[in-house]
Amino acid sequence: MGLDDKIKNKKDQVVGKVKEEYGDATDNKSKELEGKAQKIKGKVSEKLDKDEDDSTKK
């Protein structure tokens, strides 16, 4: 996994968290769910990339 991938995954997590909090604060369920999805996408991508790196090191 390259540095660009790591940055993109962290960005997705942070932006997703902001959207989720914004949606919660404004009672906008659509934005809140969009944020949750983006945050989860970033976490899953990060985990998959880490697992891929671990498997190639063995």
Side-chain angles (χ1 to χ4, degrees):
M1 167 171 59
L3 182 59
D4 289 341
D5 291 330
K6 287 181 182 180
I7 292 171
K8 182 181 180 307
N9 293 337
K10 285 296 181 186
K11 179 193 74 95
D12 278 341
Q13 291 177 42
V14 171
V15 171
K17 178 70 174 170
V18 170
K19 285 181 183 179
E20 182 180 359
E21 293 294 324
Y22 173 79
D24 186 42
T26 60
D27 202 28
N28 183 337
K29 293 296 180 192
S30 175
K31 187 60 75 176
E32 186 177 352
L33 291 174
E34 180 184 332
K36 282 183 182 184
Q38 187 171 0
K39 185 173 69 172
I40 290 169
K41 176 185 170 233
K43 286 182 179 182
V44 168
S45 294
E46 182 178 60
K47 176 73 172 146
L48 289 173
D49 289 343
K50 183 182 180 305
D51 288 347
E52 183 179 308
D53 284 349
D54 290 346
S55 69
T56 58
K57 289 180 183 178
K58 293 180 181 180

